[in-house]
Amino acid sequence: MTILESYLTLKPEYEIVAMGSQDCAEVSALHGLRFAKPWGAGEFHSLLSQEPVFGFVARQTNAILRKPLPGFVLARQVAGEAEILSIAVHPKLGRTGLGWRLMQAAMREARALGGETMFLEVDSGNLAALGLYRKLGFEKVGERQAYYVDEKGQQSSALVMRRVLR
């Protein structure tokens, strides 16, 4: 097998690392691929500069060339309650376990900061995300009717989900 063949058949390996301000442009670009109303790099930078906000990014460790950001999660923890502000995995990398690993990192950090529960909102039509959150132990505790509007003007509900961290 040639070096090129080895590289082309190489299974990607990822590490989850703390998100920094230097990641905001890439995080914003990925957010734009996954959400109808994407946040700009400045919005991510502003959020990250707030004391209770933390995040993680996934980075491929065995890539020769730099590839688009595989995934990220952004959260905050205040007064015992944590909230996922946003999470995304690159469309080509769905169902690879990256979402699970990013959520695990966020839940660990929230616990370390004193979080007792974690909340998130998810589009009721996002079946992949709902499946992930349910596997992680999140349960529906509320619903915001007609909260999301996609690029075609279709409305969907936001499900509010909660998980006990302790």
Side-chain angles (χ1 to χ4, degrees), residues 80-145:
E81 290 188 353
E83 175 187 14
I84 298 296
L85 300 172
S86 189
I87 180 171
V89 172
H90 195 281
K92 293 181 179 178
L93 298 172
R95 300 192 183 275
T96 60
L98 280 178
W100 178 275
R101 292 178 60 196
L102 288 161
M103 286 295 295
Q104 289 288 342
M107 291 187 298
R108 264 192 312 276
E109 183 69 9
R111 270 192 301 270
L113 294 171
E116 296 176 12
T117 57
M118 179 172 272
F119 290 87
L120 58 83
E121 291 181 358
V122 60
D123 189 318
S124 60
N126 190 340
L127 301 180
L130 282 168
L132 170 64
Y133 301 145
R134 287 183 180 125
K135 285 180 186 174
L136 286 165
F138 283 84
E139 297 178 348
K140 178 183 166 186
V141 294
E143 185 170 349
R144 300 175 198 268
Q145 296 290 326

Side-chain angles (χ1 to χ4, degrees), residues 32-101:
L33 290 176
R34 303 302 286 179
F35 295 94
K37 294 183 180 178
W39 300 350
E43 291 167 289
F44 280 103
H45 190 272
S46 177
L47 283 165
L48 263 182
S49 68
Q50 297 173 23
E51 183 66 33
V53 176
F54 59 91
F56 295 93
V57 294
R59 293 273 180 215
Q60 186 173 345
T61 58
N62 62 343
I64 294 173
L65 302 173
R66 188 166 174 103
K67 296 187 175 195
L69 186 70
F72 75 89
V73 63
L74 188 68
R76 69 176 153 213
Q77 196 285 127
V78 178
E81 290 188 353
E83 175 187 14
I84 298 296
L85 300 172
S86 189
I87 180 171
V89 172
H90 195 281
K92 293 181 179 178
L93 298 172
R95 300 192 183 275
T96 60
L98 280 178
W100 178 275
R101 292 178 60 196

